Amino acid sequence: PSHPIGIIRSKIQEYFASLSTDNNNTTYKIFDAEDPIVTAQQCFDDLLIPPDHPGRAPSDTYYVTDTSLLRTHTSAHQSQHLRSGVDAFLCCGDVYRRDEIDATHYPAFHQMEGVKLMSAESMIGADGLNDEQWLQSPECQLIEADLKATLEGLMDHLFGPTEKRWNDDFFPFTQPSYELEIYHNDEWM
């Protein structure tokens, strides 16, 4: 718990635990120390990662057998938790990728991600929308507002009240996509 990674992990988990007591009615379950060996189904297929995606290649991923591997992201556990009925959770753990070691890459690193499902009732108007309609919908705006409020609260919890800015970005697995920066020690990060 006194290692820097343990300290930050504890602070993040503390923040998400506090959300369930803030009239939010969302309780985040914490999944930590899950088995890092997962199936290709969990790591790729369940997340709709296409068969020809470079991340599936043995040059990028540590395969244990033809169908099992060291997880390349904690998202590999999402489908099992969602199928079990958990609708808000954090996944924490080491992930593994065949990266060359340099100043910004290492073959093992720590990852934490959060998942929250909105109620079916709040998303009813989103059925059948195309991408453009989705981006303009009240349902998309509801999710955006919830995500931004949650992450801004996390930054304040970690760093104290601080200036923040959101940047539109592109990630192929989310739409819309954003990055959050905070102003800390006289610089944006």
Side-chain angles (χ1 to χ4, degrees):
S2 61
H3 187 279
I5 292 171
I7 292 168
I8 193 73
R9 181 185 302 192
S10 293
K11 285 180 164 282
I12 293 170
Q13 291 174 345
E14 174 185 274
Y15 169 73
F16 279 92
S18 78
L19 294 179
S20 64
T21 60
D22 291 344
N23 299 322
N24 187 320
N25 295 330
T26 300
T27 300
Y28 286 85
K29 185 164 181 171
I30 308 295
F31 293 100
D32 197 358
E34 294 181 282
D35 191 343
I37 298 175
V38 298
T39 65
Q41 175 79 35
Q42 290 172 289
C43 197
F44 302 121
D45 299 328
D46 287 354
L47 300 170
L48 306 179
I49 297 173
D52 60 346
H53 190 279
R56 288 180 178 251
S59 60
D60 283 7
T61 297
Y62 292 104
Y63 282 88
V64 178
T65 68
D66 287 345
T67 58
S68 64
L69 53 112
L70 289 172
R71 65 180 170 225
T72 60
H73 44 81
T74 55
S75 303
H77 300 287
Q78 281 184 13
S79 62
Q80 75 192 61
H81 299 319
L82 291 169
R83 277 195 293 271
S84 75
V86 181
D87 61 2
F89 56 89
L90 298 179
C91 285
C92 316
D94 296 339
V95 296
Y96 307 89
R97 297 182 187 164
R98 288 188 182 270
D99 284 335
E100 293 293 324
I101 298 172
D102 62 26
T104 61
H105 294 88
Y106 196 75
F109 57 95
H110 308 283
Q111 189 174 67
M112 178 183 281
E113 69 178 68
V115 172
K116 177 183 175 183
L117 295 183
M118 305 302 275
S119 71
E121 298 81 33
S122 68
M123 294 292 111
I124 199 85
D127 289 343
L129 299 181
N130 64 33
D131 288 350
E132 188 174 316
Q133 292 168 327
W134 163 249
L135 293 172
Q136 302 305 315
S137 72
E139 294 81 7
C140 183
Q141 292 168 11
L142 175 69
I143 292 172
E144 176 185 340
D146 184 77
L147 173 68
K148 287 182 175 181
T150 301
L151 294 180
E152 287 177 9
L154 175 61
M155 292 304 102
D156 288 342
H157 182 78
L158 295 174
F159 297 98
T162 185
E163 188 178 351
K164 302 162 200 72
R165 69 180 179 196
W166 288 93
N167 301 315
D168 290 337
D169 210 325
F170 174 76
F171 301 103
F173 43 85
T174 60
Q175 189 173 2
S177 299
Y178 307 100
E179 286 190 328
L180 172 60
E181 294 181 345
I182 64 167
Y183 196 71
H184 186 70
N185 292 336
D186 298 322
E187 66 179 305
W188 286 102
M189 55 181 228

